[in-house]
Amino acid sequence: MQRGPDVTQLTLDSAEHGAVPLEDRPVERPRSGHQHRVRSGLVWAVAVLIAAYAASVVATNPAMRWDSIGKFLTAPIILQGLVTTLLITFLSAVIGLVGGLLVALMRMSSNPLIKTIAVGYLGLFRAVPLLVQILIWYNLGTFFPQLGFGIPFTDIGLYGDTNVLLSPLVACLIAIGLNQAAYMGEIIRGGLLSVQPGQVEAAIALGMTRAKAFRRVIAPQAAKSIIPPLGNDMINLLKATSLVSVVGVGDLMTRAQGIYASNYQVIPLLIVASIWYLVLTIVFTFVQGLLERRFAAGVAR
Amino acid sequence: MNYAPPDLHLTAEAPALIRVRNVSKNYGANRVLDGVNLDVRQGEVRCIIGPSGSGKSTLLRCLNALTDFDSGAVVLDETRVGYTERNGVLKPWTGREAAAFRSRVGLVSQHVNLFSHRTVLENVIEGPVQVLGTSRPVAVQAAADLLARVGLADKHDSYPSQLSGGQQQRAAIARALAMNPRVMLFDEATSALDPELVGEVLGVMQALAADGMTMVVVTHEMRFAEEAGDRIAVMDAGRIIEDGPASEIFSRPRQPRTAEFLKDHFRFAPAEGRRGHA
């Protein structure tokens, strides 16, 4: 049975190389720059070929109506949908940010009741699919015909008709905003946790109140680590607004669907919608880059 | 800062600037401060030494209300720490009152904690502008003077991450001084530094002491305590076991525990120039 290296063999091997010490023996160099360029050139060529073929298949497809894409891309009805999409994105982002900050602070509270409420909120709103949440808020009128404020177990108070108060747009804003608050809450909490406790203590020791320490020290430092996941989340939010088409709020996706339902040019209109989502995503990414640079101060270079 | 030579015989008559009376504090079953009494006179450099975990830092944090305590009293510059007198009754501080008190006490701690998102100059003017309401140009002028004093005149626009540990700690001292504090507290200000950087920070502290600043210094630097300290308190297990002039503590410690602690600390120090101890 072989146990460990064969000592006689090793000795013979070394003898073959004569008496050249290990440090003086030649080594195989890593791949040269020239070899590297040849290889990456090949990879590029294959990639371009595949892309060109895919593009030609799509472009020469008789069902691809380039003229309709051009026509509908800037059609007033599509642009109206675009504005609605932006409006829903913006308003639910605001609800999400404010609600998220609240959830994050509650989640980090030392009060067990407040903490439990935040944990429950996160669990519920992250568990139920957004599409289901939109449908629940939209159909709330079938469950609670009246909504309002009042004293429990009495008739005293202000009530209104649910279907009037919760227009499809408002229902969607509530659904997406509250869902967004759950995700934002975790992103903001992560950012707040990334601030060194010593930074807060230094601010307090300097004579700042807790509120001022939060504004001047914690928030700007947390922002630095919040912005990359926030940008990610905003892009997700933008695309998630397309779900409101199930209740017909009139966003970009609803409009595109409405048009192809009558002219049957399904793929061209989906491409129109895709182009606008792509453009908006590029803008969001650009803004994210600006914000990242703005809050990058003090990073070790 | 006008400097009055600390004449211990004269100043001993006036009430001390800081008076700690029978302060105790528990963390659960652990008694971290056990009936501590301490006086700090105006213009004095008061060192607190002792083994790790003896309660030195906790005591220091009680002085500027960063930590509360269970019983006893601390009076600093005729303010009862934690309370404000209203209608003849001592009422607990509001958050605002606690903040206002802390603005009068400078703290330099082991972990430097300069605001990492601001330049050195912005760090130094942050307190005056945001807390004291000093106008920005005035604060910038004062900050420039302070940064020159701690040897950082050329580092105004550097971020903390671009400075060495010693430079960061000197900037932190300038930041604390910018508030014109009545007292400066140093919590092991050099323990986290590389050995070759300790000297520059101790030098700044020594210059500050020579200017007549009242300083409470928790330290493991026995040389500093011996040379710059006026009186030394030795802590062990939450108590002050020995308290007296630096010359006495280091040459004739009365408590065996003090002698043992000093022996451990001077084990590797050169014997030359050291007064005999133990």
Side-chain angles (χ1 to χ4, degrees):
Chain A
M1 198 169 73
Q2 182 94 8
R3 313 174 79 187
D6 185 339
V7 178
T8 47
Q9 193 60 42
L10 275 179
T11 326
L12 279 176
D13 266 2
S14 331
E16 240 172 72
H17 290 284
V20 181
L22 209 46
E23 62 269 34
D24 292 336
R25 299 244 309 268
V27 296
E28 192 177 308
R29 291 288 166 198
R31 189 173 289 118
S32 74
H34 174 70
Q35 284 168 308
H36 220 84
R37 277 192 294 277
V38 169
R39 250 171 70 121
S40 74
L42 273 172
V43 173
W44 270 103
V46 171
V48 168
L49 204 69
I50 294 172
Y53 178 68
S56 77
V57 167
V58 174
T60 58
N61 187 321
M64 176 57 75
R65 302 280 304 275
W66 288 104
D67 55 327
S68 356
I69 292 181
K71 191 176 91 191
F72 285 115
L73 197 59
T74 52
I77 191 147
I78 288 288
L79 293 182
Q80 277 170 25
L82 190 67
V83 169
T84 308
T85 289
L86 278 172
L87 184 75
I88 298 173
T89 305
F90 176 75
L91 290 178
S92 26
V94 170
I95 299 172
L97 274 171
V98 175
L101 181 60
L102 199 68
V103 172
L105 293 176
M106 286 171 71
R107 176 91 163 73
M108 292 166 81
S109 161
S110 51
N111 181 325
L113 176 66
I114 291 177
K115 198 172 174 163
T116 307
I117 293 172
V119 170
Y121 180 87
L122 286 171
L124 190 65
F125 281 79
R126 291 201 299 180
V128 181
L130 181 54
L131 181 58
V132 178
Q133 292 185 40
I134 290 173
L135 290 172
I136 288 176
W137 285 102
Y138 179 72
N139 292 300
L140 207 63
T142 62
F143 197 63
F144 298 116
Q146 299 267 302
L147 281 183
F149 304 95
I151 302 165
F153 307 113
T154 68
D155 300 334
I156 308 162
L158 276 170
Y159 294 92
D161 192 22
T162 302
N163 283 331
V164 175
L165 289 171
L166 285 184
S167 69
L169 179 66
V170 172
C172 286
L173 284 178
I174 293 175
I176 300 177
L178 293 184
N179 183 263
Q180 190 64 12
Y183 285 94
M184 279 307 309
E186 287 297 87
I187 291 175
I188 292 175
R189 186 170 71 96
L192 294 178
L193 288 176
S194 76
V195 179
Q196 303 266 320
Q199 295 278 321
V200 186
E201 191 189 90
I204 299 288
L206 215 49
M208 290 191 194
T209 56
R210 296 215 158 260
K212 185 160 264 176
F214 185 86
R215 268 206 322 279
R216 298 287 308 174
V217 178
I218 302 176
Q221 291 194 23
K224 193 164 65 184
S225 45
I226 286 175
I227 287 163
L230 175 70
N232 213 9
D233 202 54
M234 285 298 134
I235 290 168
N236 266 335
L237 170 63
L238 167 70
K239 294 183 296 183
T241 57
S242 61
L243 290 173
V244 305
S245 59
V246 294
V247 295
V249 166
D251 73 316
L252 181 57
M253 197 56 211
T254 314
R255 305 292 194 193
Q257 280 179 331
I259 297 169
Y260 72 59
S262 58
N263 70 2
Y264 303 110
Q265 296 183 18
V266 180
I267 296 289
L269 274 149
L270 288 178
I271 287 178
V272 165
S274 299
I275 289 172
W276 278 118
Y277 285 119
L278 180 68
V279 167
L280 291 180
T281 301
I282 290 170
V283 171
F284 278 31
T285 308
F286 177 71
V287 172
Q288 179 190 338
L290 286 183
L291 287 173
E292 270 181 47
R293 273 196 291 287
R294 164 79 179 72
F295 283 98
V299 187
R301 267 160 276 227
Chain B
M1 253 154 272
N2 38 6
Y3 169 57
D7 185 338
L8 297 184
H9 296 289
L10 274 179
T11 47
E13 306 298 324
L17 186 66
I18 304 176
R19 307 195 289 278
V20 178
R21 294 288 176 265
N22 204 22
V23 165
S24 294
K25 177 178 176 65
N26 301 298
Y27 278 126
N30 188 11
R31 199 161 179 81
V32 282
L33 292 178
D34 190 3
V36 171
N37 288 289
L38 187 79
D39 277 353
V40 181
R41 298 173 192 141
Q42 172 82 50
E44 187 177 33
V45 177
R46 195 72 155 98
C47 292
I48 303 174
I49 63 173
S52 297
S54 57
K56 309 182 295 289
S57 294
T58 309
L59 174 59
L60 200 71
R61 269 142 208 279
C62 290
L63 301 185
N64 76 339
L66 270 186
T67 290
D68 51 5
F69 40 91
D70 302 329
S71 61
V74 174
V75 176
L76 190 151
D77 192 21
E78 295 314 311
T79 298
R80 173 75 182 264
V81 173
Y83 301 90
T84 303
E85 188 169 348
R86 269 191 285 271
N87 307 324
V89 186
L90 286 175
K91 303 267 193 189
W93 275 343
T94 61
R96 205 165 278 278
E97 285 166 339
F101 169 77
R102 290 191 194 103
S103 71
R104 290 156 48 200
V105 182
L107 174 72
V108 176
S109 69
Q110 176 183 359
H111 308 289
V112 182
N113 296 328
L114 286 174
F115 300 131
S116 58
H117 61 306
R118 297 192 190 284
T119 64
V120 168
L121 185 74
E122 287 170 345
N123 262 279
V124 178
I125 65 171
E126 181 74 7
V129 171
Q130 291 296 323
V131 177
L132 303 179
T134 312
S135 78
R136 207 182 144 91
V138 172
V140 168
Q141 186 57 51
D145 291 346
L146 283 168
L147 286 172
R149 253 173 80 185
V150 300
L152 294 174
D154 55 337
K155 298 290 182 191
H156 286 198
D157 299 324
S158 301
Y159 281 96
S161 59
Q162 298 166 317
L163 301 183
S164 74
Q167 290 171 332
Q168 289 185 26
Q169 196 59 294
R170 286 185 279 145
I173 294 174
R175 178 176 69 179
L177 288 175
M179 301 295 286
N180 268 322
R182 290 286 282 138
V183 183
M184 283 286 285
L185 310 179
F186 291 87
D187 186 9
E188 302 191 18
T190 58
S191 336
L193 298 180
D194 291 337
E196 76 272 19
L197 303 177
V198 168
E200 61 190 65
V201 174
L202 292 182
V204 168
M205 288 167 64
Q206 221 145 6
L208 197 57
D211 273 347
M213 174 60 78
T214 307
M215 293 162 59
V216 185
V217 183
V218 166
T219 187
H220 285 296
E221 296 291 335
M222 295 304 140
R223 291 271 309 268
F224 177 84
E226 195 176 10
E227 285 168 21
D230 293 313
R231 287 190 298 160
I232 316 279
V234 185
M235 285 192 78
D236 186 37
R239 294 176 194 210
I240 292 184
I241 57 168
E242 190 158 0
D243 191 357
S247 51
E248 275 177 30
I249 298 282
F250 284 99
S251 56
R252 296 184 298 279
R254 285 189 300 270
Q255 299 290 329
R257 192 73 191 82
T258 309
E260 194 187 322
F261 171 73
L262 289 175
K263 201 173 90 193
D264 286 345
H265 257 271
F266 284 130
R267 182 168 295 158
F268 300 110
E272 201 185 336
R274 178 140 320 291
R275 291 165 230 162
H277 54 263

